[in-house]
Amino acid sequence: MSAAPDRRVAVVTGGARRLGRHLCLSLATRGYDVVIFYRSSDDDARTLEEEIAAAGHRARAVKVDVADKHAVAAAFAGIGAAEGRVDLLVNNVGNYNPQDVTALDPDVWDETIAANLSGAYYCCHGALTLMPDGGNIINIGMAGLEGIRANTRGADYYVSKTGLLVLTRALAAAYAPRQIRVNMVSPGQLENSVDLPPADEISRWVPMGRSGTLDDIAQAVHYLLDATYVTGQNIDVAGGYRL
Ligand SMILES: NC(=O)c1ccc[n+]([C@@H]2O[C@H](COP(=O)([O-])OP(=O)(O)OC[C@H]3O[C@@H](n4cnc5c(N)ncnc54)[C@H](OP(=O)(O)O)[C@@H]3O)[C@@H](O)[C@H]2O)c1
């Protein structure tokens, strides 16, 4: 896939499955050539490439562990050669392997921070070298980051997402003069969540009384792409969670 100069290119990390896959499809429909970063889901990545091509759009899957800064640099060098630019980066990788903080394995800590936070930074670094003025970075966070309260399970995940919010704001301030906007979209409990409460209990936490859909998240991503005066913001898409 080689992008013509007038084509826009989006990179989505963790793009082969679940939310990332949905975002790849909706960004392709919006007209982006999509570069799908994935780690191990070869079959899903190929199927998605084919599905996007069959719909008349362009996609290229790239196998890259975002926690490996050399692999990320090589992947963006490849994009520089193949597509030539990055107009949008969506940092969607966000591994959640909750353990009680009193028993949190240091290796799990390292892996979570490496993939969710350092990996997002490596991708920002690589994408920004190829990003024209007016480009976008959208980081996927988690609902409730503002005024976060103690949670004894999943501290590594919450630290990674809080760090990603700090990075979002730093990059937004730094790149605003170039009209590059950096924002965060923070899902609440999605309908495919690994620890979704029973349907009759969800309204205890979510005032709107339902889990989020993948399309709820895509809507916020598309809003941010249209909202050309919005940067450094974090949007909870969570049905009123913690209101
Ligand atoms: N699902 C929810 O309820 C929920 C709630 C709040 C926030 N979020 C956030 O939404 C985002 C997407 O959630 P999800 O549940 O759809 O994600 P997910 O299924 O946990 O992960 C998406 C993909 O990330 C890829 N990945 C993981 N580590 C990687 C690495 N080191 N390098 C490259 N790719 C890697 C995996 O690719 P491979 O399959 O190729 O290995 C995986 O398919 C995450 O940031 C998550 O924190 C989700």
Side-chain angles (χ1 to χ4, degrees):
M1 181 179 80
S2 173
D6 58 337
R7 296 193 66 85
R8 291 171 302 154
V9 176
V11 176
V12 180
T13 72
R17 298 175 58 240
R18 293 167 56 86
L19 177 60
R21 177 180 193 282
H22 188 80
L23 295 177
C24 286
L25 287 166
S26 74
L27 290 168
T29 301
R30 192 182 170 106
Y32 284 94
D33 295 352
V34 180
V35 180
I36 307 154
F37 276 11
Y38 74 101
R39 179 183 54 177
S40 57
S41 296
D42 301 279
D43 291 346
D44 293 294
R46 295 292 158 239
T47 304
L48 179 57
E49 256 184 352
E50 288 164 13
E51 189 174 339
I52 290 173
H57 309 297
R58 299 182 191 206
R60 183 169 71 91
V62 177
K63 186 167 187 157
V64 54
D65 178 353
V66 298
D68 177 343
K69 62 175 175 255
H70 303 296
V72 171
F76 279 99
I79 293 171
E83 288 84 16
R85 58 192 284 167
V86 175
D87 298 87
L88 167 64
L89 167 68
V90 181
N91 277 311
N92 169 69
V93 167
N95 294 329
Y96 179 58
N97 179 15
Q99 299 183 4
D100 194 281
V101 72
T102 59
L104 178 54
D105 184 331
D107 286 341
V108 172
W109 171 276
D110 285 349
E111 285 163 15
T112 304
I113 299 300
N116 298 7
L117 181 56
S118 301
Y121 175 66
Y122 304 152
C123 290
C124 289
H125 184 265
L128 283 162
T129 62
L130 297 172
M131 190 170 282
D133 292 358
N136 279 275
I137 295 174
I138 298 178
N139 295 320
I140 304 298
M142 50 151 261
L145 278 179
E146 319 279 343
I148 194 164
R149 301 191 331 229
N151 188 333
T152 57
R153 277 172 59 76
D156 51 336
Y157 178 78
Y158 298 120
V159 168
S160 74
K161 293 294 189 184
T162 307
L164 191 55
L165 177 58
V166 173
L167 177 64
T168 298
R169 292 189 171 145
L171 291 176
Y175 285 89
R178 286 183 48 198
Q179 313 304 308
I180 289 175
R181 296 180 298 109
V182 187
N183 289 290
M184 178 174 261
V185 170
S186 287
Q189 262 181 326
L190 298 179
E191 57 193 3
N192 66 4
S193 169
V194 291
D195 54 7
L196 194 64
D200 57 345
E201 282 184 28
I202 199 152
S203 54
R204 283 172 53 193
W205 293 280
V206 181
M208 290 185 77
R210 66 168 177 87
S211 54
T213 66
L214 302 182
D215 213 44
D216 290 326
I217 308 306
Q219 282 176 27
V221 167
H222 287 276
Y223 160 75
L224 286 170
L225 294 174
D226 289 333
T228 53
Y229 200 47
V230 175
T231 195
Q233 302 306 303
N234 172 35
I235 302 177
D236 272 12
V237 183
Y241 176 67
R242 291 210 174 144
L243 281 179

PDB file of all heavy atoms in Angstrom, residues 12-26:
ATOM      1  N   VAL A  12      -3.330   2.474  13.849  1.00  0.00           N
ATOM      2  CA  VAL A  12      -4.074   2.057  15.040  1.00  0.00           C
ATOM      3  C   VAL A  12      -3.309   0.917  15.695  1.00  0.00           C
ATOM      4  O   VAL A  12      -3.104  -0.143  15.071  1.00  0.00           O
ATOM      5  CB  VAL A  12      -5.505   1.598  14.678  1.00  0.00           C
ATOM      6  CG1 VAL A  12      -6.259   1.160  15.933  1.00  0.00           C
ATOM      7  CG2 VAL A  12      -6.270   2.713  13.960  1.00  0.00           C
ATOM      8  N   THR A  13      -2.880   1.109  16.943  1.00  0.00           N
ATOM      9  CA  THR A  13      -2.159   0.023  17.635  1.00  0.00           C
ATOM     10  C   THR A  13      -3.164  -0.954  18.241  1.00  0.00           C
ATOM     11  O   THR A  13      -4.272  -0.569  18.638  1.00  0.00           O
ATOM     12  CB  THR A  13      -1.219   0.574  18.724  1.00  0.00           C
ATOM     13  OG1 THR A  13      -1.982   1.046  19.839  1.00  0.00           O
ATOM     14  CG2 THR A  13      -0.329   1.699  18.194  1.00  0.00           C
ATOM     15  N   GLY A  14      -2.759  -2.222  18.305  1.00  0.00           N
ATOM     16  CA  GLY A  14      -3.698  -3.240  18.779  1.00  0.00           C
ATOM     17  C   GLY A  14      -4.934  -3.263  17.909  1.00  0.00           C
ATOM     18  O   GLY A  14      -6.057  -3.424  18.379  1.00  0.00           O
ATOM     19  N   GLY A  15      -4.717  -3.106  16.595  1.00  0.00           N
ATOM     20  CA  GLY A  15      -5.834  -2.833  15.691  1.00  0.00           C
ATOM     21  C   GLY A  15      -6.524  -4.051  15.123  1.00  0.00           C
ATOM     22  O   GLY A  15      -7.541  -3.920  14.444  1.00  0.00           O
ATOM     23  N   ALA A  16      -6.012  -5.247  15.375  1.00  0.00           N
ATOM     24  CA  ALA A  16      -6.556  -6.421  14.673  1.00  0.00           C
ATOM     25  C   ALA A  16      -7.843  -6.946  15.275  1.00  0.00           C
ATOM     26  O   ALA A  16      -8.588  -7.661  14.602  1.00  0.00           O
ATOM     27  CB  ALA A  16      -5.508  -7.538  14.638  1.00  0.00           C
ATOM     28  N   ARG A  17      -8.090  -6.632  16.556  1.00  0.00           N
ATOM     29  CA  ARG A  17      -9.227  -7.257  17.235  1.00  0.00           C
ATOM     30  C   ARG A  17      -9.990  -6.228  18.056  1.00  0.00           C
ATOM     31  O   ARG A  17      -9.527  -5.141  18.321  1.00  0.00           O
ATOM     32  CB  ARG A  17      -8.730  -8.372  18.164  1.00  0.00           C
ATOM     33  CG  ARG A  17      -8.024  -9.510  17.447  1.00  0.00           C
ATOM     34  CD  ARG A  17      -7.441 -10.539  18.423  1.00  0.00           C
ATOM     35  NE  ARG A  17      -8.466 -11.083  19.265  1.00  0.00           N
ATOM     36  CZ  ARG A  17      -8.464 -10.997  20.603  1.00  0.00           C
ATOM     37  NH1 ARG A  17      -7.466 -10.420  21.236  1.00  0.00           N
ATOM     38  NH2 ARG A  17      -9.452 -11.496  21.300  1.00  0.00           N
ATOM     39  N   ARG A  18     -11.209  -6.589  18.433  1.00  0.00           N
ATOM     40  CA  ARG A  18     -12.005  -5.887  19.433  1.00  0.00           C
ATOM     41  C   ARG A  18     -12.102  -4.378  19.122  1.00  0.00           C
ATOM     42  O   ARG A  18     -12.425  -4.009  18.007  1.00  0.00           O
ATOM     43  CB  ARG A  18     -11.431  -6.186  20.827  1.00  0.00           C
ATOM     44  CG  ARG A  18     -11.639  -7.676  21.197  1.00  0.00           C
ATOM     45  CD  ARG A  18     -10.830  -8.123  22.400  1.00  0.00           C
ATOM     46  NE  ARG A  18     -11.044  -7.347  23.600  1.00  0.00           N
ATOM     47  CZ  ARG A  18     -12.005  -7.559  24.502  1.00  0.00           C
ATOM     48  NH1 ARG A  18     -12.863  -8.546  24.321  1.00  0.00           N
ATOM     49  NH2 ARG A  18     -12.105  -6.804  25.571  1.00  0.00           N
ATOM     50  N   LEU A  19     -11.859  -3.502  20.088  1.00  0.00           N
ATOM     51  CA  LEU A  19     -12.048  -2.068  19.826  1.00  0.00           C
ATOM     52  C   LEU A  19     -11.147  -1.571  18.693  1.00  0.00           C
ATOM     53  O   LEU A  19     -11.583  -0.792  17.832  1.00  0.00           O
ATOM     54  CB  LEU A  19     -11.780  -1.257  21.104  1.00  0.00           C
ATOM     55  CG  LEU A  19     -11.870   0.269  20.934  1.00  0.00           C
ATOM     56  CD1 LEU A  19     -13.262   0.694  20.453  1.00  0.00           C
ATOM     57  CD2 LEU A  19     -11.513   0.969  22.245  1.00  0.00           C
ATOM     58  N   GLY A  20      -9.898  -2.007  18.690  1.00  0.00           N
ATOM     59  CA  GLY A  20      -8.979  -1.537  17.651  1.00  0.00           C
ATOM     60  C   GLY A  20      -9.484  -1.870  16.260  1.00  0.00           C
ATOM     61  O   GLY A  20      -9.405  -1.054  15.328  1.00  0.00           O
ATOM     62  N   ARG A  21     -10.007  -3.065  16.119  1.00  0.00           N
ATOM     63  CA  ARG A  21     -10.549  -3.495  14.819  1.00  0.00           C
ATOM     64  C   ARG A  21     -11.706  -2.586  14.396  1.00  0.00           C
ATOM     65  O   ARG A  21     -11.781  -2.144  13.243  1.00  0.00           O
ATOM     66  CB  ARG A  21     -11.018  -4.952  14.940  1.00  0.00           C
ATOM     67  CG  ARG A  21     -11.665  -5.496  13.704  1.00  0.00           C
ATOM     68  CD  ARG A  21     -12.090  -6.952  13.921  1.00  0.00           C
ATOM     69  NE  ARG A  21     -12.428  -7.566  12.657  1.00  0.00           N
ATOM     70  CZ  ARG A  21     -13.580  -7.370  12.014  1.00  0.00           C
ATOM     71  NH1 ARG A  21     -14.512  -6.589  12.541  1.00  0.00           N
ATOM     72  NH2 ARG A  21     -13.803  -7.948  10.854  1.00  0.00           N
ATOM     73  N   HIS A  22     -12.584  -2.320  15.338  1.00  0.00           N
ATOM     74  CA  HIS A  22     -13.736  -1.475  15.037  1.00  0.00           C
ATOM     75  C   HIS A  22     -13.273  -0.078  14.604  1.00  0.00           C
ATOM     76  O   HIS A  22     -13.812   0.506  13.655  1.00  0.00           O
ATOM     77  CB  HIS A  22     -14.647  -1.385  16.264  1.00  0.00           C
ATOM     78  CG  HIS A  22     -15.941  -0.695  15.998  1.00  0.00           C
ATOM     79  ND1 HIS A  22     -17.007  -1.321  15.387  1.00  0.00           N
ATOM     80  CD2 HIS A  22     -16.332   0.581  16.225  1.00  0.00           C
ATOM     81  CE1 HIS A  22     -18.003  -0.464  15.257  1.00  0.00           C
ATOM     82  NE2 HIS A  22     -17.624   0.702  15.769  1.00  0.00           N
ATOM     83  N   LEU A  23     -12.269   0.438  15.291  1.00  0.00           N
ATOM     84  CA  LEU A  23     -11.768   1.772  14.924  1.00  0.00           C
ATOM     85  C   LEU A  23     -11.118   1.738  13.544  1.00  0.00           C
ATOM     86  O   LEU A  23     -11.294   2.677  12.753  1.00  0.00           O
ATOM     87  CB  LEU A  23     -10.785   2.275  15.991  1.00  0.00           C
ATOM     88  CG  LEU A  23     -11.395   2.525  17.373  1.00  0.00           C
ATOM     89  CD1 LEU A  23     -10.318   2.952  18.368  1.00  0.00           C
ATOM     90  CD2 LEU A  23     -12.504   3.575  17.315  1.00  0.00           C
ATOM     91  N   CYS A  24     -10.379   0.675  13.240  1.00  0.00           N
ATOM     92  CA  CYS A  24      -9.782   0.570  11.899  1.00  0.00           C
ATOM     93  C   CYS A  24     -10.865   0.614  10.825  1.00  0.00           C
ATOM     94  O   CYS A  24     -10.739   1.332   9.813  1.00  0.00           O
ATOM     95  CB  CYS A  24      -8.992  -0.730  11.770  1.00  0.00           C
ATOM     96  SG  CYS A  24      -7.435  -0.738  12.661  1.00  0.00           S
ATOM     97  N   LEU A  25     -11.939  -0.147  11.023  1.00  0.00           N
ATOM     98  CA  LEU A  25     -13.015  -0.179  10.028  1.00  0.00           C
ATOM     99  C   LEU A  25     -13.665   1.189   9.881  1.00  0.00           C
ATOM    100  O   LEU A  25     -13.924   1.660   8.762  1.00  0.00           O
ATOM    101  CB  LEU A  25     -14.068  -1.222  10.435  1.00  0.00           C
ATOM    102  CG  LEU A  25     -13.635  -2.686  10.258  1.00  0.00           C
ATOM    103  CD1 LEU A  25     -14.578  -3.624  10.998  1.00  0.00           C
ATOM    104  CD2 LEU A  25     -13.590  -3.048   8.773  1.00  0.00           C
ATOM    105  N   SER A  26     -13.916   1.865  10.994  1.00  0.00           N
ATOM    106  CA  SER A  26     -14.622   3.143  10.875  1.00  0.00           C
ATOM    107  C   SER A  26     -13.705   4.229  10.316  1.00  0.00           C
ATOM    108  O   SER A  26     -14.169   5.123   9.604  1.00  0.00           O
ATOM    109  CB  SER A  26     -15.256   3.559  12.209  1.00  0.00           C
ATOM    110  OG  SER A  26     -14.298   4.008  13.098  1.00  0.00           O
TER     111      SER A  26
END
